[in-house]
Amino acid sequence: MTRIQLAPPAPTTAPGRLAGMPRWFVTLFLTDMWERFSFYGMQAILFLYAVAPRADGGLGLGVGTATALFGLYMAMVFLAAVPGAWVGDRLLGARRATLSGGLVIAAGHTCMALPGAWSIWAGLGLLVAGTGLLKPNMGVLLSDFYGDGEVTRREAAFSIFYMSIQVSALIAPVVTGFLGETVDWHLGFAAAAVGMYAGVLQFALGRRHFGTVGAQPAHPIAPAARRRLFRRTGYLVAVVAALLGVDALAGTLRIEHALIPLGLTVLTVPVVLFRRLLRHPAITAVERLRVSGFIRLFLGSAVFWMIFTQSGSVLSQFARESVDREVFGFLVPASWFQALHPLFILAVAPLAAWLWVRLGDRLGVPVKFALGLGLVAASYLLMAAVAVLAADGPVSPVWLLLVFLLQAAGELALAPVGISAAGTAAPAFYRSQMMGLWWLSAAVGAAVGGRIGQLAPTLPQPPYYAALAVVALAVGLLLVARRVRIRRLLTAGIPAA
């Protein structure tokens, strides 16, 4: 189906208050900033709330179950972006999809702020659905304001957005962590809700500056296909609700009954999508080679995120139990350590950008991936040594600072390169979806990491951290050993510079 080309907003979009940027940019920027505040604020306290005893207002889950829950939640957020992008592209249009996603997220945080187990599970479901709807369509909106010849301006805009994410991720754990850990968990979730409501209000008031951008679906679905989709979705929801209802009535409903099928879904979806892509009638032989090279990077990325995403669960548990957190008589909330990662991203990103420019293409994508895996492996080797020290009592927080610094450097080595590689490997008809596939590697990694994290409470900590480090090192060395083959696949059909 031919893509509808939407006109840019009218020239009446006067400059806004943010570095001379137009008002539509200010609206998108502040909306994204508030949404990320709510996301990272909730993420910082979710695991700690899950393991907190019921007497202290928590869920009272075991550490292993809470780790699996946290990993699967992160995985589902990434996975939900795939259908979320489709809804914006085919049903609602990017503008309405973004606003609808914001409202769903706000409703999810509101549920999380209410006491009661039912509200927590409803809230998590709404947060997954809303985030999956908002994030990809927010990116589409921002991209569509720039024409094909404005690549530099588009990249600059996305860079500013990336910085807003890090600022929000830095502030959010401090606010929600303090309220959640020292006052009441639900008050921490309520702070995240306030942030999202502010973002929704900002977007609703500022969308008048958008002109026609994002007003209509880019590839509207035919009415008959829409009805068929709604009917099948209704059947699926009814079946899932019936199964849960029978399980509940039988008195056998457990959280694992949801975690297992959802985890299998996360692992299955990328396999199905890659299989369909490689068999697509429009793909050329050269494009198929590039996709094959990208699949190898996808697997390396999944291993990276498998280890990296445990910082919100396994490392939070370590910070809570094994780190000396008292500073001048004040007990630092364990969730505040989650602010270290964005802090180091902000500090190290300029150096990383300078280094990549200086090195040019001499390292190559596989080696940069291996470097990212090596850095996250080094962080867990350090954790293995710190865990040995912790056997004699709480350790200095400086050790965790070093661990998060290594992980931030690893992300900067791997993530931007992976996004670029996804764009390079994408077939002409599959560019947007390829970006979705890239983030599915994080979903797979988070899901697997959550399940592996269940072993953390049952194993001695030093061997657990060391084993994950060995896995990352082994995959990184494999990428280095196969670097020539992978580069040849990724650049198949692309003229040498």
Side-chain angles (χ1 to χ4, degrees), residues 196-226:
M196 193 63 248
Y197 279 115
V200 170
L201 180 62
Q202 176 72 35
F203 187 87
L205 294 177
R207 59 181 172 168
R208 67 182 184 276
H209 301 296
F210 291 178
T212 59
V213 171
Q216 300 296 327
H219 301 276
I221 189 173
R226 185 190 303 115

Short mmCIF file of all heavy atoms in Angstrom, two decimals, residues 196-226:
data_model
loop_
_atom_site.label_atom_id
_atom_site.label_comp_id
_atom_site.label_asym_id
_atom_site.label_seq_id
_atom_site.Cartn_x
_atom_site.Cartn_y
_atom_site.Cartn_z
N MET A 196 3.55 11.41 34.43
CA MET A 196 2.89 11.03 33.17
C MET A 196 1.69 11.91 32.87
O MET A 196 1.46 12.28 31.72
CB MET A 196 2.48 9.56 33.22
CG MET A 196 2.09 9.01 31.84
SD MET A 196 3.46 9.04 30.65
CE MET A 196 2.92 10.29 29.49
N TYR A 197 0.92 12.27 33.89
CA TYR A 197 -0.20 13.18 33.66
C TYR A 197 0.30 14.53 33.16
O TYR A 197 -0.34 15.16 32.30
CB TYR A 197 -1.02 13.35 34.94
CG TYR A 197 -1.99 12.23 35.19
CD1 TYR A 197 -1.85 11.38 36.29
CD2 TYR A 197 -3.06 12.00 34.33
CE1 TYR A 197 -2.73 10.34 36.52
CE2 TYR A 197 -3.95 10.95 34.54
CZ TYR A 197 -3.79 10.13 35.63
OH TYR A 197 -4.67 9.10 35.85
N ALA A 198 1.45 14.98 33.67
CA ALA A 198 2.03 16.23 33.18
C ALA A 198 2.41 16.09 31.70
O ALA A 198 2.21 17.02 30.91
CB ALA A 198 3.25 16.60 34.02
N GLY A 199 2.95 14.93 31.33
CA GLY A 199 3.30 14.70 29.93
C GLY A 199 2.09 14.68 29.02
O GLY A 199 2.11 15.25 27.93
N VAL A 200 1.01 14.01 29.46
CA VAL A 200 -0.21 13.96 28.66
C VAL A 200 -0.80 15.36 28.48
O VAL A 200 -1.22 15.73 27.38
CB VAL A 200 -1.25 13.02 29.33
CG1 VAL A 200 -2.60 13.15 28.66
CG2 VAL A 200 -0.76 11.58 29.27
N LEU A 201 -0.83 16.14 29.56
CA LEU A 201 -1.37 17.50 29.47
C LEU A 201 -0.52 18.34 28.52
O LEU A 201 -1.06 19.11 27.71
CB LEU A 201 -1.40 18.12 30.87
CG LEU A 201 -1.94 19.55 30.95
CD1 LEU A 201 -3.40 19.60 30.50
CD2 LEU A 201 -1.79 20.09 32.38
N GLN A 202 0.79 18.19 28.62
CA GLN A 202 1.69 18.93 27.74
C GLN A 202 1.42 18.59 26.28
O GLN A 202 1.34 19.48 25.42
CB GLN A 202 3.15 18.58 28.09
CG GLN A 202 4.19 19.20 27.18
CD GLN A 202 4.32 20.69 27.41
OE1 GLN A 202 4.19 21.15 28.52
NE2 GLN A 202 4.59 21.43 26.35
N PHE A 203 1.23 17.32 25.99
CA PHE A 203 1.00 16.89 24.61
C PHE A 203 -0.36 17.37 24.11
O PHE A 203 -0.50 17.85 22.98
CB PHE A 203 1.08 15.37 24.53
CG PHE A 203 1.03 14.83 23.13
CD1 PHE A 203 2.19 14.70 22.38
CD2 PHE A 203 -0.17 14.45 22.54
CE1 PHE A 203 2.16 14.20 21.08
CE2 PHE A 203 -0.22 13.95 21.26
CZ PHE A 203 0.95 13.84 20.52
N ALA A 204 -1.39 17.24 24.95
CA ALA A 204 -2.74 17.64 24.54
C ALA A 204 -2.81 19.13 24.23
O ALA A 204 -3.48 19.54 23.27
CB ALA A 204 -3.74 17.27 25.64
N LEU A 205 -2.12 19.94 25.01
CA LEU A 205 -2.16 21.39 24.78
C LEU A 205 -1.29 21.81 23.60
O LEU A 205 -1.59 22.79 22.92
CB LEU A 205 -1.69 22.13 26.05
CG LEU A 205 -2.59 22.00 27.28
CD1 LEU A 205 -1.95 22.71 28.47
CD2 LEU A 205 -3.97 22.56 27.00
N GLY A 206 -0.21 21.07 23.36
CA GLY A 206 0.73 21.49 22.33
C GLY A 206 0.52 20.89 20.96
O GLY A 206 1.15 21.31 19.99
N ARG A 207 -0.39 19.94 20.82
CA ARG A 207 -0.55 19.26 19.52
C ARG A 207 -1.13 20.17 18.45
O ARG A 207 -1.07 19.84 17.27
CB ARG A 207 -1.41 18.01 19.68
CG ARG A 207 -2.80 18.26 20.23
CD ARG A 207 -3.59 16.98 20.37
NE ARG A 207 -4.84 17.20 21.07
CZ ARG A 207 -5.82 16.32 21.13
NH1 ARG A 207 -5.68 15.16 20.52
NH2 ARG A 207 -6.93 16.58 21.79
N ARG A 208 -1.67 21.30 18.85
CA ARG A 208 -2.19 22.24 17.83
C ARG A 208 -1.07 22.81 16.97
O ARG A 208 -1.33 23.37 15.89
CB ARG A 208 -2.95 23.37 18.52
CG ARG A 208 -2.09 24.31 19.37
CD ARG A 208 -2.95 25.38 20.04
NE ARG A 208 -2.17 26.34 20.78
CZ ARG A 208 -1.73 26.19 22.02
NH1 ARG A 208 -2.02 25.05 22.67
NH2 ARG A 208 -1.02 27.11 22.63
N HIS A 209 0.16 22.67 17.43
CA HIS A 209 1.31 23.16 16.66
C HIS A 209 1.83 22.13 15.66
O HIS A 209 2.81 22.38 14.97
CB HIS A 209 2.45 23.53 17.61
CG HIS A 209 2.10 24.57 18.62
ND1 HIS A 209 1.76 25.86 18.29
CD2 HIS A 209 2.01 24.49 19.98
CE1 HIS A 209 1.50 26.55 19.40
NE2 HIS A 209 1.65 25.75 20.43
N PHE A 210 1.18 20.97 15.57
CA PHE A 210 1.69 19.90 14.73
C PHE A 210 1.28 20.00 13.27
O PHE A 210 1.79 19.25 12.43
CB PHE A 210 1.21 18.53 15.26
CG PHE A 210 1.83 18.14 16.57
CD1 PHE A 210 1.45 16.95 17.19
CD2 PHE A 210 2.76 18.93 17.21
CE1 PHE A 210 2.01 16.56 18.40
CE2 PHE A 210 3.32 18.56 18.41
CZ PHE A 210 2.93 17.38 19.02
N GLY A 211 0.34 20.88 12.95
CA GLY A 211 -0.16 20.91 11.58
C GLY A 211 -0.84 19.60 11.24
O GLY A 211 -1.67 19.11 11.99
N THR A 212 -0.48 19.02 10.12
CA THR A 212 -1.08 17.74 9.71
C THR A 212 -0.19 16.53 10.03
O THR A 212 -0.58 15.40 9.73
CB THR A 212 -1.36 17.75 8.20
OG1 THR A 212 -0.12 17.98 7.50
CG2 THR A 212 -2.35 18.84 7.84
N VAL A 213 0.97 16.77 10.60
CA VAL A 213 1.90 15.67 10.87
C VAL A 213 1.30 14.69 11.87
O VAL A 213 0.86 15.06 12.95
CB VAL A 213 3.25 16.21 11.40
CG1 VAL A 213 4.13 15.07 11.88
CG2 VAL A 213 3.95 17.00 10.31
N GLY A 214 1.27 13.42 11.49
CA GLY A 214 0.80 12.38 12.37
C GLY A 214 -0.69 12.32 12.57
O GLY A 214 -1.18 11.55 13.40
N ALA A 215 -1.44 13.12 11.82
CA ALA A 215 -2.89 13.18 12.05
C ALA A 215 -3.61 11.94 11.55
O ALA A 215 -4.64 11.55 12.10
CB ALA A 215 -3.48 14.42 11.37
N GLN A 216 -3.07 11.30 10.52
CA GLN A 216 -3.73 10.14 9.92
C GLN A 216 -2.75 8.96 9.84
O GLN A 216 -1.53 9.15 9.83
CB GLN A 216 -4.22 10.47 8.50
CG GLN A 216 -5.23 11.60 8.43
CD GLN A 216 -6.52 11.27 9.15
OE1 GLN A 216 -6.94 10.10 9.19
NE2 GLN A 216 -7.16 12.27 9.73
N PRO A 217 -3.26 7.74 9.83
CA PRO A 217 -2.37 6.57 9.67
C PRO A 217 -1.60 6.65 8.37
O PRO A 217 -2.15 7.05 7.33
CB PRO A 217 -3.34 5.38 9.67
CG PRO A 217 -4.59 5.89 10.29
CD PRO A 217 -4.68 7.35 9.96
N ALA A 218 -0.33 6.28 8.41
CA ALA A 218 0.48 6.33 7.19
C ALA A 218 0.08 5.24 6.20
O ALA A 218 0.10 5.45 5.00
CB ALA A 218 1.96 6.17 7.56
N HIS A 219 -0.31 4.07 6.72
CA HIS A 219 -0.73 2.95 5.88
C HIS A 219 -2.08 2.44 6.41
O HIS A 219 -2.14 1.38 7.04
CB HIS A 219 0.29 1.81 5.91
CG HIS A 219 1.66 2.20 5.45
ND1 HIS A 219 2.02 2.22 4.14
CD2 HIS A 219 2.74 2.59 6.16
CE1 HIS A 219 3.29 2.61 4.03
NE2 HIS A 219 3.74 2.84 5.25
N PRO A 220 -3.17 3.17 6.21
CA PRO A 220 -4.45 2.78 6.81
C PRO A 220 -4.91 1.40 6.37
O PRO A 220 -4.79 1.03 5.21
CB PRO A 220 -5.42 3.88 6.34
CG PRO A 220 -4.72 4.58 5.23
CD PRO A 220 -3.27 4.38 5.37
N ILE A 221 -5.39 0.65 7.33
CA ILE A 221 -5.85 -0.70 7.07
C ILE A 221 -7.26 -0.67 6.47
O ILE A 221 -8.06 0.22 6.80
CB ILE A 221 -5.83 -1.53 8.38
CG1 ILE A 221 -6.10 -3.01 8.10
CG2 ILE A 221 -6.83 -0.98 9.39
CD1 ILE A 221 -5.91 -3.89 9.33
N ALA A 222 -7.55 -1.60 5.60
CA ALA A 222 -8.87 -1.66 4.97
C ALA A 222 -9.93 -1.98 6.02
O ALA A 222 -9.66 -2.71 6.98
CB ALA A 222 -8.88 -2.71 3.86
N PRO A 223 -11.15 -1.45 5.87
CA PRO A 223 -12.21 -1.69 6.87
C PRO A 223 -12.47 -3.17 7.14
O PRO A 223 -12.65 -3.57 8.29
CB PRO A 223 -13.43 -1.01 6.24
CG PRO A 223 -12.86 0.06 5.36
CD PRO A 223 -11.58 -0.50 4.83
N ALA A 224 -12.48 -4.00 6.09
CA ALA A 224 -12.75 -5.42 6.29
C ALA A 224 -11.63 -6.06 7.12
O ALA A 224 -11.89 -6.87 8.02
CB ALA A 224 -12.87 -6.12 4.94
N ALA A 225 -10.39 -5.69 6.83
CA ALA A 225 -9.26 -6.24 7.60
C ALA A 225 -9.30 -5.74 9.04
O ALA A 225 -8.95 -6.48 9.96
CB ALA A 225 -7.95 -5.83 6.94
N ARG A 226 -9.76 -4.49 9.23
CA ARG A 226 -9.86 -3.96 10.59
C ARG A 226 -10.89 -4.74 11.40
O ARG A 226 -10.64 -5.11 12.55
CB ARG A 226 -10.25 -2.49 10.55
CG ARG A 226 -10.25 -1.85 11.95
CD ARG A 226 -10.87 -0.46 11.95
NE ARG A 226 -10.18 0.43 11.02
CZ ARG A 226 -10.74 0.96 9.93
NH1 ARG A 226 -12.00 0.68 9.63
NH2 ARG A 226 -10.05 1.76 9.15
#
